[in-house]
C-alpha cells in the first residue's frame, strides 16, 4: 500500500483523501460490501465530512473515492488508524494493484484530474467554473436569508449577515453543486 504524504504546510480549511482502487474482476460485490463498511468506519472519526464515490462504468474496475475531513490532522488520523489498516488488509487480495492515495486540501480537490492520463485544467478554466458556480449563489443566497434578517435584526447586522451568507454559499458549493458541475464539465475541463 503506497501513501502520499500530506502537504508540508498545515491547512485548517479541510482535506480530502483521494483514493484509487482497481478491483479484480469478479470481486465487485465483495468490494461494494467492504466499501460500505469502511465508509461507516470513517464516518465515526472526528472531523469526517462525507464521502464521494465515482463508481466505474460497466466493464471497468477502477473506483475513485474521496473522503473529506475538516483538517489535514483529521485526515491523517483516519489514514493512519489501526481500523483503516485492518479493513485494508481484508480487501487487499481483491485489488489488482496497491491503492493510490493522495491528500488534497481546499478547492484543489475539485480540479484534480480524474486519471493520470487527463490533463490538469488550465487556471482560466478553473476560474470560469468556480465563478459560474459562485456568482449566481451570491445573488440567490442573500435573498433566501432576507426573511431571517428581517425577522431577527441582529442576524442582519454588518459582519454577521456576511458570515451567514458566506457559510451557506461555501456549504452549497462544497457539498452540493461543485461535485456535480465538475462531473458535468469534465470532458471540457480536463482536455
Amino acid at each position: 500500500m503506497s501513501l502520499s504524504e500530506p502537504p508540508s504546510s498545515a491547512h485548517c480549511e479541510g482535506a480530502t483523501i483521494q483514493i484509487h482502487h482497481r478491483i479484480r474482476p469478479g470481486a465487485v460485490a465483495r468490494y461494494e460490501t467492504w466499501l460500505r463498511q469502511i465508509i461507516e468506519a470513517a464516518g465515526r472519526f472526528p472531523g469526517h465530512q462525507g464521502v464521494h464515490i465515482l463508481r466505474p462504468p460497466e466493464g471497468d474496475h477502477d473506483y475513485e473515492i474521496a473522503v473529506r475531513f475538516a483538517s489535514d490532522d483529521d485526515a491523517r488520523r483516519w489514514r493512519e488508524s489501526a481500523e483503516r489498516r485492518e479493513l485494508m488488509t481484508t480487501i487487499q487480495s481483491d485489488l489488482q494493484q496497491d491503492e493510490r492515495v493522495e491528500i488534497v486540501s481546499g478547492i484543489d480537490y475539485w480540479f484534480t484530474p480524474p486519471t493520470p492520463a487527463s490533463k490538469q485544467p488550465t487556471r482560466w478554466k478553473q476560474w470560469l467554473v468556480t465563478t459560474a458556480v459562485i456568482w449566481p449563489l451570491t445573488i440567490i443566497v442573500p435573498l433566501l436569508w432576507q426573511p431571517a434578517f428581517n425577522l431577527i435584526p441582529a442576524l442582519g447586522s454588518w459582519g454577521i449577515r456576511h458570515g451567514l451568507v458566506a457559510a451557506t454559499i461555501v456549504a452549497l458549493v462544497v457539498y452540493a453543486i461543485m461535485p456535480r458541475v465538475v462531473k458535468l464539465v469534465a470532458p471540457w475541463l480536463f482536455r
Side-chain angles (χ1 to χ4, degrees):
M1 176 186 330
S2 63
L3 297 176
S4 299
E5 289 301 313
S8 57
S9 60
H11 295 282
C12 292
E13 61 194 36
T16 299
I17 303 174
Q18 200 171 350
I19 304 162
H20 174 264
H21 286 155
R22 178 166 289 162
I23 310 309
R24 292 189 189 286
V28 173
R30 259 189 327 277
Y31 181 79
E32 285 286 341
T33 299
W34 172 86
L35 194 54
R36 284 190 295 278
Q37 293 169 347
I38 199 163
I39 288 169
E40 184 181 309
R44 293 190 294 265
F45 271 67
H48 182 266
Q49 295 182 333
V51 177
H52 182 71
I53 302 165
L54 288 175
R55 287 179 168 83
E58 192 170 329
D60 197 0
H61 299 95
D62 291 342
Y63 280 74
E64 298 289 339
I65 302 125
V67 187
R68 181 99 177 126
F69 285 91
S71 70
D72 284 341
D73 288 341
D74 291 333
R76 180 186 44 76
R77 273 190 285 279
W78 163 246
R79 194 183 74 238
E80 296 174 357
S81 71
E83 191 168 0
R84 183 178 188 282
R85 276 193 307 275
E86 185 177 315
L87 283 163
M88 283 306 303
T89 301
T90 66
I91 199 65
Q92 195 67 44
S93 64
D94 291 322
L95 301 180
Q96 286 187 11
Q97 62 190 31
D98 285 345
E99 73 174 348
R100 287 195 324 259
V101 177
E102 183 181 357
I103 309 299
V104 289
S105 296
I107 200 166
D108 291 343
Y109 165 70
W110 302 115
F111 300 110
T112 302
T115 66
S118 301
K119 287 176 44 179
Q120 178 69 33
T122 59
R123 287 288 181 195
W124 74 265
K125 286 183 177 183
Q126 294 178 42
W127 169 82
L128 186 62
V129 170
T130 305
T131 300
V133 168
I134 292 177
W135 185 2
L137 292 176
T138 64
I139 297 167
I140 296 167
V141 170
L143 293 174
L144 296 175
W145 271 103
Q146 193 58 50
F149 298 150
N150 293 341
L151 188 61
I152 306 169
L155 293 178
S157 64
W158 193 89
I160 294 174
R161 165 191 213 103
H162 299 94
L164 291 171
V165 168
T168 304
I169 290 172
V170 170
L172 287 169
V173 168
V174 170
Y175 293 111
I177 300 170
M178 195 62 99
R180 290 172 176 85
V181 169
V182 169
K183 188 175 182 179
L184 181 69
V185 300
W188 167 79
L189 187 62
F190 297 108
R191 82 172 155 203

